[in-house]
Amino acid sequence: MTTVSHITDVEAINRILSTVGAEKIASTSGLSFIADSAYQDLKNSMRDLMSHPWGFNTEYEVVLTPDVDDKIDVPDNASIIDLAPADTGSLDVIIRADGLTERLYDRKTHSFTAFTGDSYKATVVYYLEWLDIPEAAKIYIIAMAAVHFQATQ
C-alpha cells in the first residue's frame, strides 16, 4: 500500500506536464524547455494566488521597526502590508521600490522617511515557499498553472 504524503514541487510540475502528455521529470534542476515552462507557470500561479490575503499566508500584528533614517524595509516575501488602524495616524502606505530595496512609502507625504514612531503593527500577506502552502491551495495552484500551460503549448 502506498503512503499518501504532501505534494512536492516535482509532483506538481509532473501533473502540469501530464496535461499535454509531456515527459515527467525527476528533479527541478536541468529542466527541458517544456518542463521549465511548466515550472514557470507553477511559480506564476503561486504568485498570483498569494498576492491576495488568505488565512494561510496572512499574519496579524507583525511589528515593523523603522531604521535610523525612519524607513521601513519590506521583507522580500511580503506581497501586502497594511498598518494597523491605531498605528496609521495620517499615514497612507504602500510598498514601493527605493532604489533596489522595497520599502513602505507614505502617499500623503510622498516619502519613504515618514515613519518616525518606534514601531508599527501591521497585517502582512506573504508569498510562501511551496512546502508552506496548504495542500488544498497547492491543488488549486496546480490547476491554475495547468490551464495556462495548456493554453500556451
Side-chain angles (χ1 to χ4, degrees):
M1 184 157 112
T2 304
T3 303
V4 177
S5 61
H6 298 283
I7 301 168
T8 66
D9 56 350
V10 170
E11 288 174 298
I13 295 165
N14 284 333
R15 284 187 186 186
I16 297 164
L17 290 169
S18 73
T19 64
V20 296
E23 188 175 330
K24 289 184 174 185
I25 63 166
S27 77
T28 56
S29 61
L31 296 175
S32 66
F33 176 79
I34 194 165
D36 187 59
S37 179
Y39 191 31
Q40 292 307 314
D41 283 337
L42 180 67
K43 290 193 289 187
N44 290 337
S45 294
M46 288 172 59
R47 198 173 294 114
D48 290 348
L49 184 74
M50 288 186 286
S51 64
H52 301 281
W54 299 92
F56 64 86
N57 70 334
T58 304
E59 293 187 17
Y60 303 94
E61 297 190 14
V62 175
V63 177
L64 303 173
T65 307
D67 63 16
V68 295
D69 296 321
D70 296 332
K71 297 179 180 182
I72 296 178
D73 291 351
V74 173
D76 289 338
N77 64 335
S79 66
I80 299 170
I81 295 180
D82 187 21
L83 292 183
D87 287 346
T88 54
S90 64
L91 298 171
D92 180 16
V93 301
I94 58 171
I95 297 172
R96 190 171 278 177
D98 182 17
L100 296 176
T101 305
E102 285 193 329
R103 293 194 166 96
L104 288 187
Y105 178 83
D106 180 32
R107 292 189 289 193
K108 287 187 179 177
T109 62
H110 311 285
S111 173
F112 292 101
T113 60
F115 306 97
T116 57
D118 291 335
S119 65
Y120 298 84
K121 286 188 179 177
T123 299
V124 181
V125 178
Y126 292 101
Y127 294 114
L128 301 178
E129 295 293 325
W130 182 257
L131 292 173
D132 296 327
I133 300 171
E135 294 300 296
K138 286 179 184 177
I139 292 166
Y140 184 73
I141 289 167
I142 292 167
M144 286 175 41
V147 167
H148 185 266
F149 182 72
Q150 287 175 336
T152 58
Q153 294 307 302

